[in-house]
Amino acid sequence: MNMNNSADLILQSENIFTAASNSLFSGYIVIRDGVIIAMVPAGQDIRPWCGPDTQIRELGERLVCPGFCDNHTFFTGYMSMRRGVDLSQTDNSTQALAILTAAAAQLSTDDSLYAWGWSTSRWGALPDGEVLDIAFPQRPVVAINNDKSYCWMNQAAIARYGFTPGECSAEARVHLLNEMLADTSRVREELRAFIAMLASRGVTAIKDVCFDSAPALLDAWAELESQNTLPLRVSLVSEPVAEPVNFAFGQRALARFHSPRLRFHGFKFMVDGVIADHTGDMLQPYADRPQTHNEKPVNYEALRQQVLAADRAGFDCCLNAEGDAAIRHCIDIFAACLQNNPPRLRHHSISDLECPHPDDIPRMAALGIYAEVYAQILLLNPGVAEAWMRERGGDEREAQFYDYAALFRAGVVTTIGTDLPLFIPSIPDSMYAACCRHFVDGSPAQGWYRERGMTRQQLLLAWTRHSAQHHGTLAQTGSLEVGKYADIAVFDRNLLACPDNEVRSARVVLTLVEGSVTYDTL
């Protein structure tokens, strides 16, 4: 413990976004024992804060921000996209089979063979599962492609894991993921690599979703914390998949995980599907399928009973909904929680939120429901010509998609997640897609319904202060203010001022958690 006034570290920048104000602060952030002890304006004397061991880092015009929180991640999904054999450089299934055969020779007889990264477009066609049946009649083989839409797998794998090649969502792969998590030494290594990757993106906190009780994963997180090797704030969320929602587990998790670095947040429930494939639940029929509101019906009464019970037990819930009908039902369910259950401080949220109806956005704000949006989502489309929103919604509803401006205007506390590994967190990519409103190829030139996007300041607030508010940690994190932890990210340029065409080139150069460096390229 530093017993005098001197700082351990002082950061100087002309461009400090504190998240306590939209105006940039120019000056010094003074840090001692992991906490910000002073914010000194430029031109004032900082010598009173300097001691023989004080480190001063002059950052010039680089943008300094609070550390970022990715409010919707799946470590297990990230793990499964990197576990086993890398097929990303293969041109066809014949090449891949040769690599798989060589890898299998290094495994024991009982081991499954995992692979990842092959490209359907690069191969030109979906691979034949019978080829794997012939080569590996007994050993389960699963090779997931690079966009997580298809698994090349044999009959032994289908029988073992209970999913099929074209139905391979993370939820469908739950038994496979549990098998991967059982390799505890590998999981520890992968968690450390995961944390290091996040630090390189300026991420200092996440809300991570696990399936069911996930004992192996929760033990791995707890071990990192107990060994003082967890340089990341983690809020854990359980999504019931293979088992019914388990409130007894939730109570144990609340009692076990409640520190500043590792805490249990609550439960997540999937609602509808994906609008792009007509399984999102819509109030009006799809424009390209006039008889269809949703090809995957939702049991809203069962969902209502689960969420009411979770709320009554004191748990916060995240409901994953895309279509405007699904979102409306979720809002109704949360309203029922307030009406029927005892009063308490709640942090319920709706995630994904692709197409909320304009009438429902003010209801979210009035009920205190948080929004978790995927700000990088436009980057799933190569260009405006390939985007599907008009085809599904029609001319009248196209602009209803990703209307972030309406969320902020109504006062909905909006946070940002990536659904990692759907996206790897990137504030520059988020700004390019959600603020500039460009697709991958830069189209359209003036931005796709740009007036419905976020401002750059709003985006930074969503990544920082709003997430801390959602997690109930705003007194300790989420902004750069005296008395708060020094969780900080620094970019190589001022993202709030650089031109649209330079935004995606920006890079994080320094990340701190409680004043300790977790990433540094300066």
Side-chain angles (χ1 to χ4, degrees):
M1 175 72 71
N2 192 328
M3 298 305 292
N4 55 37
N5 257 353
S6 63
D8 302 319
L9 174 65
I10 297 175
L11 302 179
Q12 175 276 327
S13 173
E14 297 174 25
N15 298 306
I16 299 173
F17 181 79
T18 66
S21 166
N22 276 335
S23 300
L24 291 178
F25 177 81
S26 177
Y28 305 87
I29 305 172
V30 183
I31 301 165
R32 184 170 68 227
D33 296 329
V35 174
I36 298 170
I37 59 171
M39 299 287 292
V40 181
Q44 289 193 11
D45 190 0
I46 62 163
R47 285 178 296 178
W49 302 102
C50 296
D53 299 319
T54 301
Q55 181 184 12
I56 300 177
R57 303 196 71 161
E58 296 183 353
L59 301 171
E61 296 184 356
R62 296 180 179 93
L63 182 66
V64 179
C65 303
F68 302 111
C69 176
D70 189 332
N71 213 29
H72 207 104
T73 70
F74 289 85
F75 163 73
T76 50
Y78 182 83
M79 168 193 74
S80 69
M81 292 301 297
R82 286 157 178 78
R83 179 74 69 90
V85 183
D86 181 358
L87 301 179
S88 61
Q89 301 306 307
T90 58
D91 294 320
N92 51 59
S93 58
T94 301
Q95 289 181 4
L97 182 62
I99 294 172
L100 292 172
T101 301
Q106 306 302 313
L107 300 176
S108 67
T109 305
D110 297 331
D111 287 341
S112 296
L113 178 57
Y114 315 127
W116 55 276
W118 59 274
S119 167
T120 308
S121 59
R122 186 168 179 173
W123 285 14
L126 293 175
D128 186 354
E130 292 184 5
V131 173
L132 294 180
D133 292 332
I134 294 169
F136 308 100
Q138 304 297 326
R139 185 192 305 277
V141 181
V142 180
I144 192 166
N145 67 351
N146 60 347
D147 65 4
K148 304 170 288 297
S149 64
Y150 194 86
C151 285
W152 187 27
M153 56 196 300
N154 59 2
Q155 289 298 317
I158 293 172
R160 180 162 184 164
Y161 302 121
F163 67 93
T164 57
E167 298 291 335
C168 58
S169 67
E171 287 80 6
R173 290 183 285 125
V174 62
H175 298 300
L176 171 62
L177 296 175
N178 285 338
E179 180 179 275
M180 291 180 170
L181 288 170
D183 188 344
T184 54
S185 61
R186 181 77 61 84
V187 168
R188 292 189 199 100
E189 295 173 5
E190 290 165 336
L191 275 175
R192 292 188 179 97
F194 178 67
I195 292 167
M197 178 277 293
L198 293 170
S200 74
R201 304 302 182 107
V203 174
T204 59
I206 60 173
K207 187 171 74 177
D208 195 64
V209 182
C210 64
F211 293 153
D212 305 311
S213 60
L217 178 56
L218 268 56
D219 286 348
W221 283 120
E223 181 179 296
L224 288 176
E225 185 189 35
S226 68
Q227 295 175 349
N228 200 28
T229 56
L230 181 59
L232 182 71
R233 302 191 192 282
V234 182
S235 292
L236 298 166
V237 172
S238 171
E239 179 186 339
V241 176
E243 306 166 1
V245 60
N246 187 337
F247 297 140
F249 153 75
Q251 295 292 353
R252 293 193 299 272
L254 281 175
R256 182 183 184 189
F257 303 115
H258 52 78
S259 75
R261 294 286 178 101
L262 187 60
R263 43 198 303 277
F264 185 75
H265 187 86
F267 291 94
K268 173 188 173 179
F269 298 93
M270 296 297 294
V271 183
D272 60 343
V274 181
I275 297 174
D277 68 8
H278 304 93
T279 59
D281 195 16
M282 303 295 286
L283 291 168
Q284 300 299 322
Y286 283 87
D288 56 340
R289 295 192 184 176
Q291 305 305 314
T292 301
H293 289 258
N294 183 5
E295 292 187 351
K296 184 181 179 182
V298 179
N299 187 339
Y300 287 110
E301 181 55 31
L303 176 67
R304 181 178 184 274
Q305 294 304 323
Q306 286 184 313
V307 175
L308 278 167
D311 179 81
R312 192 177 306 117
F315 296 108
D316 292 320
C317 296
C318 170
L319 303 185
N320 195 103
E322 288 204 9
D324 51 8
I327 293 167
R328 180 168 292 180
H329 277 287
C330 292
I331 295 169
D332 291 342
I333 289 170
F334 285 141
C337 290
L338 270 68
Q339 181 177 356
N340 294 296
N341 290 337
R344 67 177 180 88
L345 182 62
R346 292 174 165 88
H347 297 93
H348 295 316
S349 61
I350 302 176
S351 67
D352 216 331
L353 278 164
E354 289 215 335
C355 190
H357 191 279
D359 292 347
D360 291 319
I361 292 174
R363 293 182 64 214
M364 287 186 65
L367 292 167
I369 301 169
Y370 293 83
E372 299 177 23
V373 302
Y374 305 156
Q376 296 167 226
I377 196 72
L378 291 190
L379 300 180
L380 287 181
N381 303 274
V384 67
E386 292 83 8
W388 48 263
M389 284 76 81
R390 176 172 294 177
E391 182 180 356
R392 299 291 183 271
D395 293 346
E396 292 183 4
R397 281 187 297 180
E398 182 185 16
Q400 190 174 312
F401 286 87
Y402 317 123
D403 191 350
Y404 306 136
L407 293 171
F408 280 91
R409 190 166 54 247
V412 177
V413 180
T414 302
T415 70
I416 291 176
T418 58
D419 207 25
L420 193 160
L422 179 65
F423 295 102
I424 302 300
S426 168
I427 282 70
D429 280 357
S430 298
M431 201 165 278
Y432 181 81
C435 303
C436 307
R437 302 283 279 195
H438 291 315
F439 296 97
V440 173
D441 65 359
S443 65
Q446 301 305 313
W448 181 78
Y449 295 103
R450 184 166 183 151
E451 72 281 1
R452 309 234 177 182
M454 305 181 196
T455 68
R456 298 190 188 192
Q457 288 89 348
Q458 286 172 339
L459 182 133
L460 292 180
L461 281 172
W463 271 106
T464 58
R465 185 182 185 90
H466 288 185
S467 290
Q469 186 174 340
H470 175 49
H471 290 221
T473 61
L474 188 55
Q476 297 83 33
T477 65
S479 60
L480 302 180
E481 299 179 83
V482 172
K484 293 194 174 186
Y485 290 124
D487 296 355
I488 296 172
V490 181
F491 286 99
D492 60 0
R493 68 198 71 184
N494 182 1
L495 274 173
L496 295 176
C498 66
D500 289 359
N501 61 2
E502 294 181 11
V503 164
R504 294 189 80 189
S505 301
R507 295 290 180 268
V508 170
V509 293
L510 179 67
T511 307
L512 308 175
V513 175
E514 291 186 31
S516 296
V517 173
T518 58
Y519 180 76
D520 189 355
T521 62
L522 289 174

